[in-house]
């Protein structure tokens, strides 16, 4: 817990944290980050890792297509009724930050159709380093970057890198091929984020998404506790 950082306090959004019947609604976690960093792959891996213990659902955001939703469906990471696609039709960050109505509707539709849910993952359409989620849409946000995007990204900062509740640096398996210095990335991230957590992942490696899944379980325990 980091007191004074409202982005780290699930209680900050507790105004609408309950369903009409008084039960606690699903924890909503947003995943943002540049195109191709591994957001959809992370969502898919999280679904496989968590679906046996938790009731979960996914909302995807694409600009003009349903591609991310189709990928998740094709890979059968969840039953189709647990995956909803929002076509943002504009800059993807608008739909997760400024006018969140389509996403809120998707989240509520899912709760109604397949709820009660423990967890809803909301994947942002790929964007630049400035995309963040509205606190009215998600309770916690994960920013996913990758080592192939350049090892100076953590140093460059931006709201995603500096304020996300979790920073994931993905594709560590590629570091030797693209000349990315992981220690430097860790140092720079620490400098930008202070005590906020950073996890390094390789979804193709043996550990896969396990560290992120552990973080999600922790958030969920805090949410329901
Ligand atoms: N080598 C490697 N490739 C990855 C990893 N994670 C994702 N990818 C690949 O990177 C590409 C983009 O991933 P995707 O999840 O679609 O990115 P998104 O645009 O952020 O949703 C896909 O071809 C993935 O298979 C990883 O850890 N290592
Ligand atoms: Mg994607």
């Amino acid at each position: 817990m980091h007191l004074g950082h409202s982005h780290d306090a699930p209680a900050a959004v507790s105004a609408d944290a309950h369903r009409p019947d008084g039960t606690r609604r699903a924890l909503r976690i947003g995943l943002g980050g540049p195109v191709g960093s591994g957001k959809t792959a992370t969502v898919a891996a999280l679904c496989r890792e968590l679906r046996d213990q938790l009731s979960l659902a996914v909302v995807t955001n694409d600009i003009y297509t349903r591609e991310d939703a189709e990928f998740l469906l094709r890979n059968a990471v969840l039953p189709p009724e647990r995956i909803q696609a929002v076509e943002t039709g504009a800059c993807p960050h608008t739909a997760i930050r400024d006018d969140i109505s389509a996403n809120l509707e998707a989240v509520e539709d899912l709760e109604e159709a397949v709820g009660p849910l423990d967890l809803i993952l909301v994947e942002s359409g790929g964007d630049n380093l400035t995309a963040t989620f509205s606190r009215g849409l998600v309770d916690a946000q994960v920013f996913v970057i990758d080592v192939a995007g350049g090892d100076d990204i953590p140093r460059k900062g931006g709201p995603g890198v500096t304020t996300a509740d979790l920073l994931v640096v993905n594709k560590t398996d590629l570091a030797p091929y693209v000349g990315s210095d992981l220690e430097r990335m860790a140092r720079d991230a620490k400098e930008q984020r202070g005590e906020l957590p950073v996890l390094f992942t390789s979804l193709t490696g043996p550990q896969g998404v396990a560290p992120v899944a552990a973080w999600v379980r922790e958030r969920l325990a805090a949410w329901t506790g």
Side-chain angles (χ1 to χ4, degrees):
M1 271 302 100
H2 308 279
L3 297 175
H5 287 248
S6 63
H7 51 252
D8 197 47
V13 290
S14 62
D16 65 341
H18 294 86
R19 303 186 180 97
D21 68 359
T23 56
R24 194 163 273 261
R25 63 156 170 76
L27 175 68
R28 301 174 192 158
I29 296 184
L31 292 96
V35 176
S37 63
K39 295 180 295 300
T40 305
T42 299
V43 167
L46 281 174
C47 288
R48 289 195 194 95
E49 183 98 5
L50 300 171
R51 66 190 173 193
D52 294 337
Q53 301 119 47
L54 299 174
S55 176
L56 60 140
V58 172
V59 177
T60 62
N61 280 256
D62 277 308
I63 304 178
Y64 300 118
T65 65
R66 294 170 36 92
E67 227 156 283
D68 284 346
E70 303 291 352
F71 177 90
L72 298 173
L73 288 167
R74 236 181 5 257
N75 288 273
V77 297
L78 288 179
E81 63 274 17
R82 288 175 180 264
I83 301 171
Q84 279 250 6
V86 171
E87 282 179 40
T88 61
C91 297
H93 66 255
T94 307
I96 59 162
R97 193 184 58 199
D98 305 326
D99 179 6
I100 59 173
S101 52
N103 271 289
L104 276 180
E105 198 174 75
V107 161
E108 279 156 18
D109 284 355
L110 283 166
E111 284 259 21
E112 205 158 293
V114 294
L117 293 162
D118 300 308
L119 176 66
I120 302 178
L121 301 174
V122 182
E123 180 188 342
S124 158
D127 208 308
N128 54 29
L129 296 175
T130 64
T132 53
F133 286 84
S134 161
R135 289 284 147 186
L137 177 59
V138 300
D139 306 302
Q141 45 196 310
V142 180
F143 201 71
V144 183
I145 60 174
D146 72 277
V147 306
D151 62 6
D152 55 350
I153 288 185
R155 185 176 50 75
K156 287 179 177 167
V161 164
T162 52
T163 70
D165 300 287
L166 174 66
L167 178 67
V168 172
V169 183
N170 187 34
K171 308 194 192 179
T172 54
D173 56 293
L174 299 182
Y177 306 104
V178 295
S180 281
D181 181 345
L182 296 182
E183 274 169 27
R184 177 187 161 200
M185 292 183 90
R187 242 184 355 258
D188 290 347
K190 168 97 187 135
E191 194 148 301
Q192 295 282 356
R193 295 173 53 76
E195 295 306 310
L196 288 171
V198 182
L199 294 173
F200 285 77
T201 55
S202 166
L203 296 179
T204 57
Q207 265 215 315
V209 83
V212 183
W215 179 87
V216 169
R217 285 196 187 94
E218 238 169 69
R219 295 297 299 211
L220 203 57
W223 178 251
T224 52

